[in-house]
Amino acid sequence: MTLTAPTASAATALASFCADLRWDAVPTDARARTAELVLDLLGVAVRGRAAESSRAVDAFVRTQPAGAAWAALAMSASAHATEMDDVTTES
């Protein structure tokens, strides 16, 4: 039996799917839930900015060269600082 590598990795296939996805192609219920979850994430991230752990990450990020990766690290630390995932059983 000869095994051949797939032409695209799972990550590449997922990235391609996401890049090609159009908002109007997503079912209405899924769009509504996505909007709710993004709003929740933003609210938790804003609240998390005041957390001690977020301030520490932010202080470190400010010593680094400007860049999207550092901004993403700071914002993700803020979003994870306040655990709010258990307020809904729908996700």
Side-chain angles (χ1 to χ4, degrees), residues 35-88:
E36 179 183 322
L37 292 171
V38 169
L39 181 59
D40 177 69
L41 172 65
L42 292 173
V44 170
V46 168
R47 170 62 180 92
R49 293 273 300 152
E52 184 177 342
S53 60
S54 298
R55 291 192 311 268
V57 172
D58 192 54
F60 169 75
V61 166
R62 289 177 186 276
T63 68
Q64 303 305 307
W70 294 118
L73 174 63
M75 290 308 299
S76 63
S78 295
H80 286 281
T82 305
E83 179 58 51
M84 298 297 290
D85 291 340
D86 60 352
V87 298
T88 179

